PDB file of all heavy atoms in Angstrom:
ATOM      1  N   GLY A   1      10.064 -19.546  -4.849  1.00 98.00           N
ATOM      2  CA  GLY A   1       9.147 -18.421  -4.725  1.00 98.00           C
ATOM      3  C   GLY A   1       8.455 -18.346  -3.380  1.00 98.00           C
ATOM      4  O   GLY A   1       8.858 -18.979  -2.392  1.00 98.00           O
ATOM      5  N   ILE A   2       7.390 -17.559  -3.352  1.00 98.00           N
ATOM      6  CA  ILE A   2       6.551 -17.388  -2.166  1.00 98.00           C
ATOM      7  C   ILE A   2       5.123 -17.740  -2.555  1.00 98.00           C
ATOM      8  O   ILE A   2       4.639 -17.338  -3.624  1.00 98.00           O
ATOM      9  CB  ILE A   2       6.624 -15.941  -1.643  1.00 98.00           C
ATOM     10  CG1 ILE A   2       8.030 -15.665  -1.097  1.00 98.00           C
ATOM     11  CG2 ILE A   2       5.573 -15.680  -0.562  1.00 98.00           C
ATOM     12  CD1 ILE A   2       8.251 -14.227  -0.667  1.00 98.00           C
ATOM     13  N   GLU A   3       4.457 -18.517  -1.727  1.00 96.00           N
ATOM     14  CA  GLU A   3       3.071 -18.874  -1.997  1.00 96.00           C
ATOM     15  C   GLU A   3       2.158 -17.826  -1.365  1.00 96.00           C
ATOM     16  O   GLU A   3       2.233 -17.574  -0.164  1.00 96.00           O
ATOM     17  CB  GLU A   3       2.775 -20.281  -1.480  1.00 96.00           C
ATOM     18  CG  GLU A   3       3.648 -21.339  -2.168  1.00 96.00           C
ATOM     19  CD  GLU A   3       3.245 -22.766  -1.867  1.00 96.00           C
ATOM     20  OE1 GLU A   3       2.034 -23.018  -1.706  1.00 96.00           O
ATOM     21  OE2 GLU A   3       4.141 -23.631  -1.809  1.00 96.00           O
ATOM     22  N   VAL A   4       1.344 -17.222  -2.201  1.00 96.00           N
ATOM     23  CA  VAL A   4       0.445 -16.154  -1.755  1.00 96.00           C
ATOM     24  C   VAL A   4      -0.993 -16.608  -1.953  1.00 96.00           C
ATOM     25  O   VAL A   4      -1.376 -17.025  -3.050  1.00 96.00           O
ATOM     26  CB  VAL A   4       0.695 -14.846  -2.517  1.00 96.00           C
ATOM     27  CG1 VAL A   4      -0.310 -13.774  -2.087  1.00 96.00           C
ATOM     28  CG2 VAL A   4       2.119 -14.360  -2.296  1.00 96.00           C
ATOM     29  N   VAL A   5      -1.784 -16.547  -0.880  1.00 95.00           N
ATOM     30  CA  VAL A   5      -3.203 -16.873  -0.945  1.00 95.00           C
ATOM     31  C   VAL A   5      -3.985 -15.571  -1.063  1.00 95.00           C
ATOM     32  O   VAL A   5      -3.964 -14.750  -0.149  1.00 95.00           O
ATOM     33  CB  VAL A   5      -3.649 -17.641   0.310  1.00 95.00           C
ATOM     34  CG1 VAL A   5      -5.136 -17.984   0.206  1.00 95.00           C
ATOM     35  CG2 VAL A   5      -2.831 -18.896   0.487  1.00 95.00           C
ATOM     36  N   PHE A   6      -4.616 -15.373  -2.207  1.00 96.00           N
ATOM     37  CA  PHE A   6      -5.513 -14.232  -2.371  1.00 96.00           C
ATOM     38  C   PHE A   6      -6.867 -14.658  -1.817  1.00 96.00           C
ATOM     39  O   PHE A   6      -7.621 -15.384  -2.463  1.00 96.00           O
ATOM     40  CB  PHE A   6      -5.602 -13.832  -3.844  1.00 96.00           C
ATOM     41  CG  PHE A   6      -4.352 -13.193  -4.350  1.00 96.00           C
ATOM     42  CD1 PHE A   6      -3.335 -13.962  -4.898  1.00 96.00           C
ATOM     43  CD2 PHE A   6      -4.170 -11.812  -4.250  1.00 96.00           C
ATOM     44  CE1 PHE A   6      -2.163 -13.373  -5.362  1.00 96.00           C
ATOM     45  CE2 PHE A   6      -2.999 -11.221  -4.706  1.00 96.00           C
ATOM     46  CZ  PHE A   6      -2.004 -12.003  -5.260  1.00 96.00           C
ATOM     47  N   CYS A   7      -7.136 -14.265  -0.591  1.00 95.00           N
ATOM     48  CA  CYS A   7      -8.304 -14.756   0.137  1.00 95.00           C
ATOM     49  C   CYS A   7      -9.591 -14.146  -0.398  1.00 95.00           C
ATOM     50  O   CYS A   7      -9.623 -13.004  -0.859  1.00 95.00           O
ATOM     51  CB  CYS A   7      -8.167 -14.438   1.624  1.00 95.00           C
ATOM     52  SG  CYS A   7      -6.776 -15.265   2.419  1.00 95.00           S
ATOM     53  N   GLY A   8     -10.666 -14.928  -0.299  1.00 93.00           N
ATOM     54  CA  GLY A   8     -11.996 -14.428  -0.615  1.00 93.00           C
ATOM     55  C   GLY A   8     -12.713 -14.040   0.669  1.00 93.00           C
ATOM     56  O   GLY A   8     -12.483 -14.628   1.723  1.00 93.00           O
ATOM     57  N   PHE A   9     -13.588 -13.047   0.578  1.00 93.00           N
ATOM     58  CA  PHE A   9     -14.293 -12.591   1.781  1.00 93.00           C
ATOM     59  C   PHE A   9     -15.732 -13.085   1.738  1.00 93.00           C
ATOM     60  O   PHE A   9     -16.449 -12.896   0.749  1.00 93.00           O
ATOM     61  CB  PHE A   9     -14.275 -11.073   1.889  1.00 93.00           C
ATOM     62  CG  PHE A   9     -14.785 -10.563   3.208  1.00 93.00           C
ATOM     63  CD1 PHE A   9     -14.038 -10.709   4.360  1.00 93.00           C
ATOM     64  CD2 PHE A   9     -16.038  -9.962   3.299  1.00 93.00           C
ATOM     65  CE1 PHE A   9     -14.501 -10.248   5.588  1.00 93.00           C
ATOM     66  CE2 PHE A   9     -16.510  -9.488   4.517  1.00 93.00           C
ATOM     67  CZ  PHE A   9     -15.739  -9.636   5.670  1.00 93.00           C
ATOM     68  N   ASP A  10     -16.154 -13.759   2.821  1.00 91.00           N
ATOM     69  CA  ASP A  10     -17.515 -14.262   2.964  1.00 91.00           C
ATOM     70  C   ASP A  10     -18.329 -13.219   3.716  1.00 91.00           C
ATOM     71  O   ASP A  10     -18.168 -13.046   4.928  1.00 91.00           O
ATOM     72  CB  ASP A  10     -17.483 -15.589   3.726  1.00 91.00           C
ATOM     73  CG  ASP A  10     -18.850 -16.256   3.820  1.00 91.00           C
ATOM     74  OD1 ASP A  10     -19.867 -15.539   3.812  1.00 91.00           O
ATOM     75  OD2 ASP A  10     -18.885 -17.493   3.911  1.00 91.00           O
ATOM     76  N   ASN A  11     -19.190 -12.503   2.987  1.00 91.00           N
ATOM     77  CA  ASN A  11     -19.959 -11.426   3.604  1.00 91.00           C
ATOM     78  C   ASN A  11     -20.933 -11.936   4.651  1.00 91.00           C
ATOM     79  O   ASN A  11     -21.189 -11.264   5.656  1.00 91.00           O
ATOM     80  CB  ASN A  11     -20.728 -10.647   2.530  1.00 91.00           C
ATOM     81  CG  ASN A  11     -19.826  -9.708   1.757  1.00 91.00           C
ATOM     82  OD1 ASN A  11     -19.215  -8.816   2.329  1.00 91.00           O
ATOM     83  ND2 ASN A  11     -19.728  -9.922   0.447  1.00 91.00           N
ATOM     84  N   ASP A  12     -21.489 -13.129   4.428  1.00 89.00           N
ATOM     85  CA  ASP A  12     -22.460 -13.669   5.387  1.00 89.00           C
ATOM     86  C   ASP A  12     -21.798 -14.002   6.721  1.00 89.00           C
ATOM     87  O   ASP A  12     -22.302 -13.644   7.788  1.00 89.00           O
ATOM     88  CB  ASP A  12     -23.120 -14.928   4.806  1.00 89.00           C
ATOM     89  CG  ASP A  12     -23.979 -14.615   3.590  1.00 89.00           C
ATOM     90  OD1 ASP A  12     -24.490 -13.475   3.507  1.00 89.00           O
ATOM     91  OD2 ASP A  12     -24.121 -15.495   2.719  1.00 89.00           O
ATOM     92  N   ALA A  13     -20.641 -14.692   6.653  1.00 89.00           N
ATOM     93  CA  ALA A  13     -19.949 -15.082   7.886  1.00 89.00           C
ATOM     94  C   ALA A  13     -18.970 -14.026   8.364  1.00 89.00           C
ATOM     95  O   ALA A  13     -18.451 -14.123   9.475  1.00 89.00           O
ATOM     96  CB  ALA A  13     -19.215 -16.404   7.665  1.00 89.00           C
ATOM     97  N   GLN A  14     -18.702 -13.018   7.519  1.00 92.00           N
ATOM     98  CA  GLN A  14     -17.747 -11.959   7.845  1.00 92.00           C
ATOM     99  C   GLN A  14     -16.362 -12.523   8.188  1.00 92.00           C
ATOM    100  O   GLN A  14     -15.744 -12.168   9.188  1.00 92.00           O
ATOM    101  CB  GLN A  14     -18.272 -11.102   9.014  1.00 92.00           C
ATOM    102  CG  GLN A  14     -19.481 -10.247   8.666  1.00 92.00           C
ATOM    103  CD  GLN A  14     -19.125  -9.146   7.662  1.00 92.00           C
ATOM    104  OE1 GLN A  14     -18.355  -8.241   7.986  1.00 92.00           O
ATOM    105  NE2 GLN A  14     -19.698  -9.214   6.463  1.00 92.00           N
ATOM    106  N   VAL A  15     -15.896 -13.408   7.291  1.00 93.00           N
ATOM    107  CA  VAL A  15     -14.569 -14.000   7.477  1.00 93.00           C
ATOM    108  C   VAL A  15     -13.844 -14.048   6.140  1.00 93.00           C
ATOM    109  O   VAL A  15     -14.464 -14.072   5.069  1.00 93.00           O
ATOM    110  CB  VAL A  15     -14.651 -15.436   8.059  1.00 93.00           C
ATOM    111  CG1 VAL A  15     -15.214 -15.412   9.469  1.00 93.00           C
ATOM    112  CG2 VAL A  15     -15.470 -16.350   7.151  1.00 93.00           C
ATOM    113  N   TRP A  16     -12.508 -14.045   6.219  1.00 94.00           N
ATOM    114  CA  TRP A  16     -11.667 -14.277   5.053  1.00 94.00           C
ATOM    115  C   TRP A  16     -11.446 -15.780   4.934  1.00 94.00           C
ATOM    116  O   TRP A  16     -11.202 -16.472   5.914  1.00 94.00           O
ATOM    117  CB  TRP A  16     -10.324 -13.568   5.203  1.00 94.00           C
ATOM    118  CG  TRP A  16     -10.431 -12.071   5.137  1.00 94.00           C
ATOM    119  CD1 TRP A  16     -10.492 -11.208   6.178  1.00 94.00           C
ATOM    120  CD2 TRP A  16     -10.480 -11.279   3.948  1.00 94.00           C
ATOM    121  NE1 TRP A  16     -10.588  -9.914   5.739  1.00 94.00           N
ATOM    122  CE2 TRP A  16     -10.577  -9.919   4.357  1.00 94.00           C
ATOM    123  CE3 TRP A  16     -10.463 -11.563   2.578  1.00 94.00           C
ATOM    124  CZ2 TRP A  16     -10.644  -8.870   3.459  1.00 94.00           C
ATOM    125  CZ3 TRP A  16     -10.529 -10.514   1.672  1.00 94.00           C
ATOM    126  CH2 TRP A  16     -10.621  -9.178   2.112  1.00 94.00           C
ATOM    127  N   LYS A  17     -11.499 -16.290   3.675  1.00 91.00           N
ATOM    128  CA  LYS A  17     -11.339 -17.716   3.437  1.00 91.00           C
ATOM    129  C   LYS A  17     -10.258 -17.956   2.393  1.00 91.00           C
ATOM    130  O   LYS A  17     -10.045 -17.142   1.500  1.00 91.00           O
ATOM    131  CB  LYS A  17     -12.649 -18.341   2.954  1.00 91.00           C
ATOM    132  CG  LYS A  17     -13.740 -18.422   4.014  1.00 91.00           C
ATOM    133  CD  LYS A  17     -14.945 -19.178   3.460  1.00 91.00           C
ATOM    134  CE  LYS A  17     -15.993 -19.392   4.540  1.00 91.00           C
ATOM    135  NZ  LYS A  17     -17.162 -20.150   4.014  1.00 91.00           N
ATOM    136  N   SER A  18      -9.602 -19.114   2.512  1.00 88.00           N
ATOM    137  CA  SER A  18      -8.589 -19.501   1.527  1.00 88.00           C
ATOM    138  C   SER A  18      -8.830 -20.935   1.086  1.00 88.00           C
ATOM    139  O   SER A  18      -9.544 -21.693   1.748  1.00 88.00           O
ATOM    140  CB  SER A  18      -7.190 -19.376   2.120  1.00 88.00           C
ATOM    141  OG  SER A  18      -6.996 -20.392   3.087  1.00 88.00           O
ATOM    142  N   LEU A  19      -8.229 -21.309  -0.041  1.00 72.00           N
ATOM    143  CA  LEU A  19      -8.329 -22.688  -0.509  1.00 72.00           C
ATOM    144  C   LEU A  19      -7.458 -23.597   0.346  1.00 72.00           C
ATOM    145  O   LEU A  19      -7.892 -24.595   0.866  1.00 72.00           O
ATOM    146  CB  LEU A  19      -7.876 -22.779  -1.974  1.00 72.00           C
ATOM    147  CG  LEU A  19      -8.802 -22.123  -2.995  1.00 72.00           C
ATOM    148  CD1 LEU A  19      -8.163 -22.165  -4.372  1.00 72.00           C
ATOM    149  CD2 LEU A  19     -10.140 -22.844  -3.033  1.00 72.00           C
ATOM    150  N   ARG A  20      -6.204 -23.252   0.469  1.00 66.00           N
ATOM    151  CA  ARG A  20      -5.266 -23.955   1.344  1.00 66.00           C
ATOM    152  C   ARG A  20      -4.231 -22.932   1.752  1.00 66.00           C
ATOM    153  O   ARG A  20      -3.723 -22.181   0.935  1.00 66.00           O
ATOM    154  CB  ARG A  20      -4.612 -25.146   0.647  1.00 66.00           C
ATOM    155  CG  ARG A  20      -3.928 -24.832  -0.668  1.00 66.00           C
ATOM    156  CD  ARG A  20      -3.434 -26.121  -1.340  1.00 66.00           C
ATOM    157  NE  ARG A  20      -2.835 -25.860  -2.638  1.00 66.00           N
ATOM    158  CZ  ARG A  20      -1.539 -25.685  -2.853  1.00 66.00           C
ATOM    159  NH1 ARG A  20      -0.697 -25.711  -1.838  1.00 66.00           N
ATOM    160  NH2 ARG A  20      -1.070 -25.489  -4.068  1.00 66.00           N
ATOM    161  N   ALA A  21      -3.962 -22.847   3.011  1.00 58.00           N
ATOM    162  CA  ALA A  21      -3.158 -21.721   3.472  1.00 58.00           C
ATOM    163  C   ALA A  21      -2.255 -22.095   4.627  1.00 58.00           C
ATOM    164  O   ALA A  21      -2.315 -21.516   5.693  1.00 58.00           O
ATOM    165  CB  ALA A  21      -4.072 -20.577   3.886  1.00 58.00           C
ATOM    166  N   GLY A  22      -1.407 -23.057   4.407  1.00 65.00           N
ATOM    167  CA  GLY A  22      -0.503 -23.403   5.485  1.00 65.00           C
ATOM    168  C   GLY A  22      -1.239 -24.066   6.621  1.00 65.00           C
ATOM    169  O   GLY A  22      -1.719 -25.175   6.488  1.00 65.00           O
ATOM    170  N   VAL A  23      -1.407 -23.384   7.730  1.00 74.00           N
ATOM    171  CA  VAL A  23      -1.976 -24.016   8.912  1.00 74.00           C
ATOM    172  C   VAL A  23      -3.293 -23.393   9.356  1.00 74.00           C
ATOM    173  O   VAL A  23      -3.811 -23.748  10.408  1.00 74.00           O
ATOM    174  CB  VAL A  23      -0.954 -23.975  10.077  1.00 74.00           C
ATOM    175  CG1 VAL A  23       0.229 -24.873   9.773  1.00 74.00           C
ATOM    176  CG2 VAL A  23      -0.485 -22.559  10.349  1.00 74.00           C
ATOM    177  N   GLU A  24      -3.850 -22.466   8.604  1.00 84.00           N
ATOM    178  CA  GLU A  24      -5.180 -21.915   8.870  1.00 84.00           C
ATOM    179  C   GLU A  24      -5.909 -21.712   7.551  1.00 84.00           C
ATOM    180  O   GLU A  24      -5.293 -21.549   6.500  1.00 84.00           O
ATOM    181  CB  GLU A  24      -5.093 -20.592   9.644  1.00 84.00           C
ATOM    182  CG  GLU A  24      -4.534 -20.757  11.051  1.00 84.00           C
ATOM    183  CD  GLU A  24      -4.748 -19.521  11.922  1.00 84.00           C
ATOM    184  OE1 GLU A  24      -5.819 -18.902  11.830  1.00 84.00           O
ATOM    185  OE2 GLU A  24      -3.828 -19.178  12.679  1.00 84.00           O
ATOM    186  N   SER A  25      -7.255 -21.704   7.599  1.00 89.00           N
ATOM    187  CA  SER A  25      -8.023 -21.546   6.367  1.00 89.00           C
ATOM    188  C   SER A  25      -9.130 -20.512   6.461  1.00 89.00           C
ATOM    189  O   SER A  25      -9.646 -20.069   5.438  1.00 89.00           O
ATOM    190  CB  SER A  25      -8.623 -22.888   5.942  1.00 89.00           C
ATOM    191  OG  SER A  25      -9.469 -23.394   6.962  1.00 89.00           O
ATOM    192  N   VAL A  26      -9.523 -20.121   7.669  1.00 92.00           N
ATOM    193  CA  VAL A  26     -10.593 -19.141   7.863  1.00 92.00           C
ATOM    194  C   VAL A  26     -10.172 -18.195   8.983  1.00 92.00           C
ATOM    195  O   VAL A  26      -9.622 -18.631  10.001  1.00 92.00           O
ATOM    196  CB  VAL A  26     -11.930 -19.826   8.238  1.00 92.00           C
ATOM    197  CG1 VAL A  26     -13.007 -18.788   8.495  1.00 92.00           C
ATOM    198  CG2 VAL A  26     -12.369 -20.787   7.143  1.00 92.00           C
ATOM    199  N   ALA A  27     -10.435 -16.904   8.795  1.00 94.00           N
ATOM    200  CA  ALA A  27     -10.084 -15.934   9.836  1.00 94.00           C
ATOM    201  C   ALA A  27     -10.996 -14.718   9.753  1.00 94.00           C
ATOM    202  O   ALA A  27     -11.268 -14.206   8.663  1.00 94.00           O
ATOM    203  CB  ALA A  27      -8.633 -15.497   9.694  1.00 94.00           C
ATOM    204  N   SER A  28     -11.446 -14.264  10.902  1.00 94.00           N
ATOM    205  CA  SER A  28     -12.277 -13.055  10.953  1.00 94.00           C
ATOM    206  C   SER A  28     -11.387 -11.822  10.986  1.00 94.00           C
ATOM    207  O   SER A  28     -10.201 -11.894  11.368  1.00 94.00           O
ATOM    208  CB  SER A  28     -13.162 -13.076  12.200  1.00 94.00           C
ATOM    209  OG  SER A  28     -12.354 -12.981  13.371  1.00 94.00           O
ATOM    210  N   ALA A  29     -11.944 -10.697  10.600  1.00 92.00           N
ATOM    211  CA  ALA A  29     -11.189  -9.449  10.604  1.00 92.00           C
ATOM    212  C   ALA A  29     -10.755  -9.087  12.023  1.00 92.00           C
ATOM    213  O   ALA A  29      -9.660  -8.563  12.244  1.00 92.00           O
ATOM    214  CB  ALA A  29     -12.024  -8.333   9.992  1.00 92.00           C
ATOM    215  N   SER A  30     -11.618  -9.355  13.001  1.00 94.00           N
ATOM    216  CA  SER A  30     -11.272  -9.030  14.389  1.00 94.00           C
ATOM    217  C   SER A  30     -10.087  -9.864  14.871  1.00 94.00           C
ATOM    218  O   SER A  30      -9.206  -9.367  15.576  1.00 94.00           O
ATOM    219  CB  SER A  30     -12.483  -9.242  15.299  1.00 94.00           C
ATOM    220  OG  SER A  30     -12.923 -10.590  15.241  1.00 94.00           O
ATOM    221  N   TYR A  31     -10.064 -11.147  14.483  1.00 95.00           N
ATOM    222  CA  TYR A  31      -8.932 -12.006  14.842  1.00 95.00           C
ATOM    223  C   TYR A  31      -7.648 -11.505  14.192  1.00 95.00           C
ATOM    224  O   TYR A  31      -6.596 -11.400  14.849  1.00 95.00           O
ATOM    225  CB  TYR A  31      -9.232 -13.443  14.421  1.00 95.00           C
ATOM    226  CG  TYR A  31      -8.014 -14.339  14.332  1.00 95.00           C
ATOM    227  CD1 TYR A  31      -7.318 -14.720  15.478  1.00 95.00           C
ATOM    228  CD2 TYR A  31      -7.575 -14.812  13.101  1.00 95.00           C
ATOM    229  CE1 TYR A  31      -6.202 -15.541  15.388  1.00 95.00           C
ATOM    230  CE2 TYR A  31      -6.471 -15.637  13.005  1.00 95.00           C
ATOM    231  CZ  TYR A  31      -5.787 -16.004  14.149  1.00 95.00           C
ATOM    232  OH  TYR A  31      -4.687 -16.821  14.057  1.00 95.00           O
ATOM    233  N   LEU A  32      -7.706 -11.162  12.919  1.00 95.00           N
ATOM    234  CA  LEU A  32      -6.517 -10.703  12.212  1.00 95.00           C
ATOM    235  C   LEU A  32      -5.958  -9.421  12.814  1.00 95.00           C
ATOM    236  O   LEU A  32      -4.749  -9.184  12.764  1.00 95.00           O
ATOM    237  CB  LEU A  32      -6.841 -10.497  10.733  1.00 95.00           C
ATOM    238  CG  LEU A  32      -7.181 -11.774   9.935  1.00 95.00           C
ATOM    239  CD1 LEU A  32      -7.619 -11.408   8.520  1.00 95.00           C
ATOM    240  CD2 LEU A  32      -6.003 -12.734   9.910  1.00 95.00           C
ATOM    241  N   SER A  33      -6.828  -8.615  13.412  1.00 95.00           N
ATOM    242  CA  SER A  33      -6.369  -7.343  13.991  1.00 95.00           C
ATOM    243  C   SER A  33      -5.591  -7.537  15.284  1.00 95.00           C
ATOM    244  O   SER A  33      -4.932  -6.604  15.757  1.00 95.00           O
ATOM    245  CB  SER A  33      -7.564  -6.429  14.242  1.00 95.00           C
ATOM    246  OG  SER A  33      -8.395  -6.955  15.275  1.00 95.00           O
ATOM    247  N   THR A  34      -5.628  -8.747  15.861  1.00 96.00           N
ATOM    248  CA  THR A  34      -4.958  -8.998  17.145  1.00 96.00           C
ATOM    249  C   THR A  34      -3.618  -9.703  16.995  1.00 96.00           C
ATOM    250  O   THR A  34      -2.958  -9.987  17.993  1.00 96.00           O
ATOM    251  CB  THR A  34      -5.862  -9.865  18.045  1.00 96.00           C
ATOM    252  OG1 THR A  34      -6.011 -11.176  17.445  1.00 96.00           O
ATOM    253  CG2 THR A  34      -7.234  -9.225  18.228  1.00 96.00           C
ATOM    254  N   LEU A  35      -3.185  -9.994  15.772  1.00 97.00           N
ATOM    255  CA  LEU A  35      -2.001 -10.818  15.566  1.00 97.00           C
ATOM    256  C   LEU A  35      -0.714 -10.105  15.965  1.00 97.00           C
ATOM    257  O   LEU A  35      -0.598  -8.877  15.838  1.00 97.00           O
ATOM    258  CB  LEU A  35      -1.912 -11.241  14.097  1.00 97.00           C
ATOM    259  CG  LEU A  35      -3.067 -12.080  13.564  1.00 97.00           C
ATOM    260  CD1 LEU A  35      -2.842 -12.405  12.089  1.00 97.00           C
ATOM    261  CD2 LEU A  35      -3.257 -13.362  14.375  1.00 97.00           C
ATOM    262  N   ASN A  36       0.244 -10.904  16.415  1.00 97.00           N
ATOM    263  CA  ASN A  36       1.567 -10.373  16.719  1.00 97.00           C
ATOM    264  C   ASN A  36       2.352 -10.165  15.428  1.00 97.00           C
ATOM    265  O   ASN A  36       2.138 -10.863  14.433  1.00 97.00           O
ATOM    266  CB  ASN A  36       2.340 -11.348  17.617  1.00 97.00           C
ATOM    267  CG  ASN A  36       1.695 -11.518  18.974  1.00 97.00           C
ATOM    268  OD1 ASN A  36       1.184 -10.556  19.551  1.00 97.00           O
ATOM    269  ND2 ASN A  36       1.724 -12.733  19.490  1.00 97.00           N
ATOM    270  N   GLU A  37       3.285  -9.231  15.463  1.00 96.00           N
ATOM    271  CA  GLU A  37       4.194  -9.044  14.344  1.00 96.00           C
ATOM    272  C   GLU A  37       5.510  -9.745  14.653  1.00 96.00           C
ATOM    273  O   GLU A  37       5.954  -9.784  15.805  1.00 96.00           O
ATOM    274  CB  GLU A  37       4.454  -7.557  14.072  1.00 96.00           C
ATOM    275  CG  GLU A  37       3.334  -6.854  13.343  1.00 96.00           C
ATOM    276  CD  GLU A  37       3.780  -5.513  12.768  1.00 96.00           C
ATOM    277  OE1 GLU A  37       4.882  -5.041  13.142  1.00 96.00           O
ATOM    278  OE2 GLU A  37       3.034  -4.951  11.944  1.00 96.00           O
ATOM    279  N   VAL A  38       6.122 -10.306  13.617  1.00 96.00           N
ATOM    280  CA  VAL A  38       7.408 -10.983  13.779  1.00 96.00           C
ATOM    281  C   VAL A  38       8.362 -10.491  12.700  1.00 96.00           C
ATOM    282  O   VAL A  38       7.957  -9.944  11.675  1.00 96.00           O
ATOM    283  CB  VAL A  38       7.253 -12.522  13.678  1.00 96.00           C
ATOM    284  CG1 VAL A  38       6.418 -13.058  14.818  1.00 96.00           C
ATOM    285  CG2 VAL A  38       6.673 -12.916  12.325  1.00 96.00           C
ATOM    286  N   ASP A  39       9.651 -10.706  12.962  1.00 95.00           N
ATOM    287  CA  ASP A  39      10.658 -10.456  11.934  1.00 95.00           C
ATOM    288  C   ASP A  39      10.788 -11.719  11.099  1.00 95.00           C
ATOM    289  O   ASP A  39      11.095 -12.804  11.612  1.00 95.00           O
ATOM    290  CB  ASP A  39      12.013 -10.124  12.578  1.00 95.00           C
ATOM    291  CG  ASP A  39      12.019  -8.744  13.198  1.00 95.00           C
ATOM    292  OD1 ASP A  39      11.654  -7.794  12.491  1.00 95.00           O
ATOM    293  OD2 ASP A  39      12.375  -8.631  14.387  1.00 95.00           O
ATOM    294  N   PHE A  40      10.553 -11.593   9.808  1.00 93.00           N
ATOM    295  CA  PHE A  40      10.677 -12.732   8.908  1.00 93.00           C
ATOM    296  C   PHE A  40      11.494 -12.313   7.702  1.00 93.00           C
ATOM    297  O   PHE A  40      11.081 -11.447   6.927  1.00 93.00           O
ATOM    298  CB  PHE A  40       9.300 -13.238   8.463  1.00 93.00           C
ATOM    299  CG  PHE A  40       9.367 -14.490   7.627  1.00 93.00           C
ATOM    300  CD1 PHE A  40       9.577 -15.728   8.218  1.00 93.00           C
ATOM    301  CD2 PHE A  40       9.230 -14.420   6.246  1.00 93.00           C
ATOM    302  CE1 PHE A  40       9.657 -16.885   7.453  1.00 93.00           C
ATOM    303  CE2 PHE A  40       9.307 -15.571   5.467  1.00 93.00           C
ATOM    304  CZ  PHE A  40       9.520 -16.806   6.077  1.00 93.00           C
ATOM    305  N   GLU A  41      12.680 -12.872   7.601  1.00 92.00           N
ATOM    306  CA  GLU A  41      13.593 -12.560   6.499  1.00 92.00           C
ATOM    307  C   GLU A  41      13.795 -11.058   6.329  1.00 92.00           C
ATOM    308  O   GLU A  41      13.791 -10.525   5.221  1.00 92.00           O
ATOM    309  CB  GLU A  41      13.090 -13.190   5.190  1.00 92.00           C
ATOM    310  CG  GLU A  41      12.993 -14.699   5.222  1.00 92.00           C
ATOM    311  CD  GLU A  41      14.297 -15.369   5.606  1.00 92.00           C
ATOM    312  OE1 GLU A  41      15.349 -14.922   5.120  1.00 92.00           O
ATOM    313  OE2 GLU A  41      14.264 -16.335   6.390  1.00 92.00           O
TER     314      GLU A  41
END
């Protein structure tokens, strides 16, 4: 299968959080808006 992290949003810190998520665990909306796109499968 595929492991999907349904992230929770921390309103105080304004970041998305996960329990365990591969190689990152916290990310801001501004950071996520700058990500590169890749071809995956």
Side-chain angles (χ1 to χ4, degrees):
I2 292 175
E3 299 190 34
V4 177
V5 181
F6 289 90
C7 296
F9 189 72
D10 185 331
N11 283 300
D12 294 332
Q14 291 293 294
V15 294
W16 291 97
K17 290 185 174 181
S18 71
L19 291 174
R20 54 186 177 95
V23 292
E24 294 193 39
S25 59
V26 177
S28 66
S30 60
Y31 162 69
L32 293 174
S33 68
T34 66
L35 299 179
N36 296 322
E37 282 195 348
V38 295
D39 287 308
F40 185 78
E41 299 305 318

